[in-house]
Amino acid sequence: MTSPSVFTIPAGISFVDALARGLMVRYGADPLALGRVRVLLPTRRAARTLREAFLRLSDGKALILPVMQPLGDVDEGELSFATDGADALDVPPAIPALERTLLLARLVQAWRLTDGDGGDEPSQAFRLAAELGSFLDQVQTEGCDLADMHALVPDDFAHHWQKTIRFLEILATSWPTILETRGYLDPAARRDRLLRLLAARWTAAPPATPVIAAGSTGSIPASADLIGVIARLPQGAVVLPGFQRDMDVESWEALAPSHPQFGMKQLLARMAVDRAEVEPWTGEAQAPPPRAALLNEAMRPAETTAAWQNLAVDRAAALAGLFRIDAPTPQEEAGAIAVILREALEHPGRTAALVTPDRDLGRRVAAALRRWDIAIDDSAGTPLPQTQAAAFLRLTADMAASAAAPVPLLAALKHPLAAGGLDPGRFRRHVRDMERAVLRGPRPAPGIKGLGRALATADPPVRPGLIAWWDDVAAKIGPFMALFSQGEIALPELIRAHVQLVESLAATASETGAARLWVEEAGEAAAAFLEEFIHTAEGTPIEARHYPALLDAAMQDGVVRPAYGRHPRLAILGPLEARLHHADVMILGGLNEGTWPPQASADPWMSRPMKQRFGLPPPERRIGLSAHDFVQGAAAPLVYLTRAEKVGGAPTLPSRWLLRLDALVGQDNWPRPPHLAWHRRLDHVERPAPLAPPAPTPPLSARPRRLSVTRIENWLRDPYALYARNILRLQVMDPLDADAGAADRGNFIHQALHHYLEAHPGAPPPDGLERLLDFGREAFGTVIEKPLVRAFWWPRFTQIAAWFLDRQRERLGIAAPVALERSGALVLGGLPGGDFTLTAKADRIDRLSHGRLEIIDYKTGREPSRDQLLAGYGAQMPLEAVMAKAGAFADLAAAEVAELAWWKLKGDARFNEIKLASAILKDEPGLEELAADAEAGLRRLVAAFDDPAVPYVSRPNPLEVGFGEYDHLARVKEWGE
C-alpha cells in the first residue's frame, strides 16, 4: 500500500464537471486508458450525471468512458472486475423487502401472543415489521451486535424500555434462523459483506487499473473502509465533495454530528488520514468562491461564531446569483418554482432542477407545470397506491369487506376501470340507476342478496334490465365476497380471488380485464407487486376482514417511475438523488425547519443514551448529511432558495440554515426575484367582473299554479330554490348510506301520534303510554335497531309520549281532534295569470269548546318568530287558517280559527312546550288580521310572478335562508357575501 491519495472538489464548482476534467487530464491522453479507469460513485443517478459531464466535456464527440458504478449497490457483477466472482457467488442473495416484512410480521404477532398482550391485526403487525426492518438495516449498517442489546437496559430502567428490548431480541434469536432456513441475507448485511469482501480482495491484490471513489462521504462504515483501501491503492484515489480545507482548527475540533463537514471528519479519521493530506483535485489550491465562503461561515459551529464579527466575505459577490423566495403558502411556493423552471426553458440548452425532500411540493410543482404541457421527471416517482390499478384493487377489497355497503360499492363500481364486460359508459349508467333506486337513503340489507331484494322491491319499480345487470355483477363479485364470511383463509388464495375479481370487473366488450389493468408502468408495477405478494404470502393464514388494511400496508412502499425521463432539461430530485447532480439552475425548495433539515425525531426502539452505548449514530447525523446536501446545492452559480411561510394554515419556522444566513447578510438584503409576482399575475384579473345572483325568467306557462303552504314559505325565502325544484324538476337526492335524519325523526313522531289519536281521540286509556310507545315502535320500524336511534332518539320519544299524554288529559272538555293529517286545497281566483291553487296537509285540527278551531303543528324544529310571522316568512300556519276558514279541508266545515299552536317535541321534558300564535304576536295583530295579511301577501306574490319578466332570484334576503339545498346550483359562494 502507498500513502493515501485523497482529493477534494470544493463547493461552488460543479463536482461532476471538475471530476471529468481531472480524469481527462490524468488519463485522457491515451484514448484507451480512460476506459480502464473505474469510478465508484454514491448513486446510480450520480453515474448518469458523470456520463453527461463527459458528454459536455467532449462536446458530443465519442469517448471510451470509465466504468462507473454506484458504491452503495455493489453486487456480484460489480465484484467480477476485481475477482473471479467465486467469493461473491458464495454470498446468499438479499431477501426481498416484501417477504422480509411479512416474515417479520409473523414474528411480531407471535411475540404479542406469547407476551400476553394479544395479537395485532395483520396490518398493524406489518407496519411494525416494516419499522423493525428499518431498525435492523441500521444495526447491520453500523456493525452493531444484536446480542449486546440485553445489556442496554439495567433493572432500574422504565418497564417499557425493558419490554422493548425483550421484543427486539427476536431479531437476535428467531430472525437469523429464518434467514438461514430460507437461504437469504438481509440487504444491509449482504451489501456490507460484499463491500468488505472487495476491500479484502483489493488489500491482498491491488487492481492493475485505476480506481477512483468520488463523491461519497462514507456514511456507511463498510463503504468507508473500502474507500480507505482505495485511497492507499497504487492507482487509487478518493475525491471528496465539498471538503473545507481552510477550516480553522478550533472549528474543526468543535464539529458536531449536525455539521456538514462532520461526516468527512469521521471518514478521514476512519481512513487514518490527516486533513492536511487532502489536496485539491484540479490544480493549485485556491480560495473558495465567495458563495462557498459565505455558506462555510454560516455553517460554523456555535462555539466559534464569534468570528462572524470579523467576517471577510464579500457579501455582494456571495449573493450574486443567489435568490430567496418566501411564499405565503405551499401552493404559491410551487407556482413560483414552476415559473422558474419554465423560464429556464427560454434559454437554449439551460437545465434546471428542483431539489427538495418535500414530496408534496414536488407533486405540486409537477402539477403546476402542466399549465404549459410540461411533463417533468420526479425522482420520487408516483406512490403505487395512487396509481389507477392499485386504487381499483384497494376499492374492490373495501367493497367486499363491507358486504357491498353503498359507499364502498359505488366507489369500486364507478372507478374508471370498472366495466363488467360492457362498454364502460353503459356500465356506469347501470351503476347510476342502481344508486338512485336503492343506494340513496337508508342502507339496504347487507350483501349481494340484500341488494338484489332491494332492487326487486324498489318503489317505483326498476326496469328489468337493471336486475339482470346486477345479477351479472353479483356473479363476478360473489366468489371473492364469500371468502369474507369464512374464518381464516390462506392469504395467497385470497389474493388470487381478488385478482380474478378485478380482471372480471375490468373487462369490456372488446378487451380483457388483464389487458386494461396490467399495462404501462403503473399496471406492470401493480402486477409485479401482486405476483410477489402471492409468492411471499405462502403459508400465511389471515381472516379476510383484515385483508384490505393489510393490502394497503403492503402497497405503501411501492413506487412507480417512468421507464424514460419525461423532460430532458428539467428534473425534480430528492437530496439523495441530487448529490453530485449538475444543473444550470438549482432550486432548493421546502426550506422549513422539520422539512429540510428533517426533524430529529425520537427513536421508537431506543433512547439516546441506549443508542450511544449500543453504537448507533445520533439522530443529528441525518441533519449533518442534509446540511452537506444543502451547502453543495446552494453553492451552485444560480440558486433559488424557497420556503412557505404557512403550511396548513400554521406558521412555519425557516430552516436553521436560512436563519444563519439571515444573521450574516441581513434578512432585508436578500435578492428577491420576480417569479412569485409573475406566478400571481398568471391568474390575476385586473378588474374582476362583479357576479350577480342568478335570475332566471321562465315563461309563464312553466311557472307553477299549484303549491303547498310549505312551498309558499320557500318561495318567499328563496325563489331560485322553487325554480329549481318545481320548474326544472331537480329533486334533492338522499345521501348515501344515510342514517335517519331530523326530517325522518319528525315523520316517525308524526306518524306515531297520528295513529294513536286515530285509535284514541278522547281520553287516554290507563295503558295509553304503552299503546303510544307501541305505535312509536311501529313507526320507527327497523330504524330503531340503529345504535344512534336506540341510544338517543327512542329515549327522547318516550319522554315526548309521556308529555303528549299529559297535554291530552289537560285538554279533555276543552278541545277535541276533528282532523288528523287532513289535506286541503283552496283556489285563489282573480290573478293575472289565472287561478292559483293552494294546498296543505294539516298535522292536526282541534275543535274548541266554543266551536272555533285550533290548528296544531307538531314541531321538532323551531317555530317562527314574531318578526317572521309578520314578514310572511312563517306563512304556513296563517295560510292554513285561511283555508280552514274557507272550508278548504276535506270533510271539515268552514269555521273561524281561534288559535294557531306549535307543539314543540324536543324530547327532554324541559324543552317540550306549546307555543301559541297569540302569545308570540302578543295579540297585535290579531290572528284574523294575520291570516288576512298572509292571504293578501300570497296574492301579491303570485301576481308579481305572473309577470314573465320577474326573475326567480336566489336568496333575496340571505338572513332568512340559511343554507339552501340549491345554493350550489345558484353558485352562491361566487357572488354571496
Side-chain angles (χ1 to χ4, degrees):
M1 292 288 179
T2 62
S3 58
S5 298
V6 184
F7 304 89
T8 185
I9 297 173
I13 299 174
S14 172
F15 185 90
V16 289
D17 289 324
L19 179 63
R21 283 195 300 271
L23 290 172
M24 289 292 289
V25 168
R26 288 166 171 78
Y27 307 106
D30 180 358
L32 299 179
L34 191 62
R36 292 192 289 269
V37 177
R38 186 163 300 275
V39 183
L40 300 182
L41 296 152
T43 63
R44 297 183 187 276
R45 182 176 286 274
R48 292 199 299 272
T49 304
L50 181 57
R51 283 196 291 270
E52 293 167 0
F54 275 111
L55 187 64
R56 289 191 296 270
L57 188 62
S58 68
D59 214 8
K61 296 178 181 177
L63 279 178
I64 299 178
L65 296 179
V67 176
M68 291 171 275
Q69 294 173 328
L71 187 59
D73 297 313
V74 177
D75 58 22
E76 295 94 330
E78 293 160 0
L79 284 174
S80 61
F81 70 89
T83 71
D84 60 6
D87 292 338
L89 293 175
D90 293 335
V91 179
I95 185 170
L98 184 57
E99 183 172 358
R100 180 171 78 160
T101 306
L102 278 172
L103 291 172
L104 284 172
R106 290 188 201 172
L107 287 180
V108 169
Q109 288 183 298
W111 187 89
R112 290 293 301 271
L113 287 170
T114 57
D115 193 62
D117 288 346
D120 288 317
E121 286 191 4
S123 60
Q124 296 172 330
F126 189 93
R127 290 185 173 91
L128 186 57
E131 294 291 334
L132 204 58
S134 299
F135 173 75
L136 186 61
D137 287 339
Q138 186 181 25
V139 167
Q140 292 173 342
T141 295
E142 299 299 329
C144 302
D145 189 350
L146 291 168
D148 297 336
M149 284 191 301
H150 66 278
L152 296 176
V153 183
D155 293 339
D156 58 346
F157 265 46
H159 173 71
H160 76 273
W161 284 123
Q162 298 177 13
K163 187 173 181 178
T164 300
I165 292 300
R166 289 200 308 272
F167 172 70
L168 291 176
E169 285 178 353
I170 64 177
L171 298 179
T173 55
S174 305
W175 183 241
T177 304
I178 293 174
L179 282 180
E180 184 178 359
T181 301
R182 291 179 172 256
Y184 284 131
L185 281 179
D186 283 306
R190 184 177 184 280
R191 177 203 60 211
D192 284 5
R193 187 178 297 188
L194 289 173
L195 288 171
R196 297 190 189 286
L197 175 63
L198 183 56
R201 179 69 65 175
W202 278 349
T203 300
T209 55
V211 179
I212 312 294
S216 177
T217 58
S219 57
I220 299 174
S223 65
D225 291 339
L226 177 60
I227 290 171
V229 171
I230 293 172
R232 286 180 166 81
L233 291 176
Q235 298 189 69
V238 174
V239 185
L240 300 177
F243 179 70
Q244 191 176 341
R245 298 176 68 249
D246 59 345
M247 181 181 291
D248 61 88
V249 175
E250 186 181 359
S251 296
W252 180 260
E253 295 299 328
L255 290 183
S258 59
H259 195 277
Q261 297 291 313
F262 181 80
M264 285 181 285
K265 178 181 178 181
Q266 280 192 315
L267 176 61
L268 292 180
R270 195 175 186 102
M271 295 165 57
V273 173
D274 189 89
R275 68 183 182 122
E277 297 180 81
V278 180
E279 301 176 2
W281 173 251
T282 55
E284 297 294 327
Q286 298 177 353
R291 175 86 56 74
L294 176 67
L295 292 168
N296 290 340
E297 285 295 331
M299 295 296 173
R300 268 187 178 277
E303 294 82 351
T304 64
T305 50
W308 285 353
Q309 297 177 0
N310 304 313
L311 188 64
V313 175
D314 184 346
R315 290 179 173 84
L319 292 177
L322 180 64
F323 300 95
R324 178 167 167 181
I325 296 176
D326 291 81
T329 64
Q331 291 83 357
E332 291 190 80
E333 180 187 9
I337 292 170
V339 172
I340 296 170
L341 294 170
R342 176 63 183 86
E343 184 196 22
L345 299 181
E346 294 297 310
H347 303 268
R350 177 175 288 186
T351 58
L354 165 63
V355 181
T356 179
D358 186 348
R359 306 325 304 172
D360 287 338
L361 177 61
R363 284 191 283 271
R364 283 193 176 102
V365 172
L369 285 169
R370 295 194 193 110
R371 175 194 292 267
W372 299 288
D373 293 328
I374 296 173
I376 191 169
D377 184 11
D378 185 350
S379 65
T382 302
L384 179 61
Q386 295 180 13
T387 62
Q388 194 175 62
F392 194 40
L393 285 165
R394 298 166 68 199
L395 292 173
T396 49
D398 289 338
M399 172 189 70
S402 69
V407 173
L409 177 69
L410 288 178
L413 297 186
K414 286 188 175 182
H415 189 276
L417 285 172
L422 305 174
D423 173 76
R426 182 181 172 195
F427 182 85
R428 277 190 284 277
R429 282 194 296 273
H430 285 305
V431 175
R432 287 192 291 269
D433 288 345
M434 182 175 72
E435 175 185 353
R436 286 190 291 266
V438 297
L439 298 181
R440 292 280 173 177
R443 178 187 295 193
I448 293 173
K449 292 182 179 179
L451 284 170
R453 286 194 298 271
L455 285 171
T457 59
D459 184 22
V462 301
R463 52 187 176 80
L466 184 61
I467 296 177
W469 167 82
W470 171 247
D471 290 341
D472 181 66
V473 173
K476 291 178 170 63
I477 66 179
F480 181 58
M481 194 175 294
L483 299 178
F484 284 76
S485 61
Q486 300 180 13
E488 282 195 340
I489 187 172
L491 182 54
E493 181 183 347
L494 200 57
I495 301 170
R496 291 188 184 97
H498 192 188
V499 172
Q500 183 177 357
L501 164 65
V502 294
E503 288 186 349
S504 64
L505 277 182
T508 68
S510 58
E511 281 186 287
T512 65
R516 297 184 70 218
L517 282 165
W518 322 124
V519 293
E520 300 180 347
E521 291 94 346
E524 291 171 0
F529 161 76
L530 289 170
E531 184 178 5
E532 184 181 4
F533 200 16
I534 291 172
H535 171 72
T536 57
E538 289 295 339
T540 302
I542 186 176
E543 290 185 36
R545 62 189 177 91
H546 296 312
Y547 173 70
L550 178 61
L551 180 69
D552 274 354
M555 279 187 183
Q556 288 308 308
D557 291 334
V559 176
V560 180
R561 294 185 175 88
Y564 303 97
R566 295 187 176 179
H567 200 286
R569 293 164 55 194
L570 304 179
I572 299 175
L573 306 171
L576 176 63
E577 293 86 3
R579 288 176 186 172
L580 313 187
H581 183 77
H582 169 86
D584 300 318
V585 179
M586 294 290 287
I587 307 165
L588 309 187
L591 285 168
N592 283 327
E593 197 68 17
T595 301
W596 200 2
Q599 185 175 1
S601 57
D603 193 305
W605 307 112
M606 292 184 180
S607 66
R608 184 181 291 269
M610 290 166 62
K611 291 182 69 173
Q612 185 177 5
R613 288 198 299 273
F614 192 51
L616 293 177
E620 288 77 13
R621 191 176 76 164
R622 285 186 63 205
I623 296 178
L625 296 173
S626 189
H628 186 266
D629 294 334
F630 170 77
V631 171
Q632 288 294 101
L638 181 55
V639 180
Y640 295 86
L641 308 178
T642 74
R643 62 175 291 265
E645 294 173 334
K646 286 187 177 182
V647 174
T652 59
L653 181 66
S655 168
R656 63 188 68 185
W657 308 317
L658 289 182
L659 294 176
R660 280 176 164 254
L661 287 168
D662 283 343
L664 288 177
V665 304
Q667 190 172 6
D668 297 330
N669 296 329
W670 283 95
R672 302 285 180 171
H675 300 87
L676 183 58
W678 290 351
H679 162 66
R680 289 171 175 168
R681 289 190 64 82
L682 286 174
D683 298 313
H684 178 69
V685 178
E686 289 292 340
R687 294 183 179 178
L691 295 174
T697 54
L700 187 60
S701 60
R703 302 190 179 204
R705 307 305 300 174
R706 181 185 182 94
L707 287 175
S708 68
V709 290
T710 54
R711 289 285 178 266
I712 300 300
E713 284 192 5
N714 294 338
W715 194 0
L716 285 164
R717 294 170 185 268
D718 190 359
Y720 182 85
L722 184 79
Y723 165 77
R725 180 192 293 270
N726 290 72
I727 298 177
L728 298 183
R729 309 291 183 186
L730 299 176
Q731 299 299 316
V732 177
M733 297 180 71
D734 291 329
L736 288 168
D737 203 0
D739 279 322
D744 298 307
R745 179 181 61 179
N747 291 336
F748 297 151
I749 294 173
H750 279 62
Q751 182 180 340
L753 299 182
H754 171 67
H755 289 164
Y756 170 81
L757 287 176
E758 277 188 326
H760 307 285
D767 61 345
L769 180 59
E770 280 304 316
R771 295 193 181 189
L772 180 50
L773 293 179
D774 287 340
F775 284 119
R777 293 186 187 94
E778 181 182 341
F780 276 77
T782 59
V783 175
I784 201 172
E785 301 302 325
K786 290 181 177 288
L788 178 66
V789 174
R790 178 163 289 279
F792 295 100
W793 288 12
W794 182 252
R796 292 182 181 181
F797 178 74
T798 61
Q799 296 186 59
I800 290 171
W803 178 88
F804 177 81
L805 292 176
D806 288 341
R807 303 292 79 75
Q808 286 298 104
R809 294 186 185 98
E810 292 173 358
R811 294 171 67 84
L812 288 175
I814 300 174
V818 293
L820 302 172
E821 298 289 334
R822 187 66 56 84
S823 297
L826 176 64
V827 178
L828 301 177
L831 295 167
D835 291 347
F836 183 90
T837 302
L838 178 66
T839 66
K841 189 174 185 180
D843 288 346
R844 172 177 171 179
I845 301 176
D846 283 9
R847 190 175 300 280
L848 302 177
S849 56
H850 48 59
R852 290 187 293 174
L853 303 177
E854 179 180 7
I855 300 177
I856 297 172
D857 186 29
Y858 297 138
K859 204 73 177 173
T860 53
R862 294 182 61 183
E863 78 283 356
S865 66
R866 183 175 189 274
D867 290 342
Q868 288 174 328
L869 285 171
L870 295 178
Y873 292 117
Q876 175 187 344
M877 293 280 275
L879 288 176
E880 288 184 5
V882 171
M883 295 176 65
K885 183 177 180 180
F889 286 102
D891 301 324
L892 183 65
E896 293 289 338
V897 176
E899 189 61 272
L900 305 177
W902 289 269
W903 287 28
K904 298 181 65 175
L905 308 176
K906 296 292 187 181
D908 193 316
R910 294 172 296 174
F911 304 111
N912 296 328
E913 61 177 325
I914 297 176
K915 285 282 189 178
L916 301 177
S918 57
I920 295 173
L921 295 171
K922 300 177 182 178
D923 292 324
E924 294 182 6
L927 185 58
E928 186 174 351
E929 184 180 351
L930 178 68
D933 288 345
E935 181 180 1
L938 174 59
R939 286 181 172 276
R940 288 194 301 270
L941 180 67
V942 175
F945 279 87
D946 279 346
D947 181 354
V950 173
Y952 286 79
V953 296
S954 176
R955 299 165 63 99
N957 187 353
L959 296 178
E960 288 297 334
V961 177
F963 174 76
E965 293 177 323
Y966 296 91
D967 283 358
H968 59 298
L969 293 180
R971 306 178 75 162
V972 168
K973 290 187 177 181
E974 293 187 11
W975 51 264
E977 295 181 357

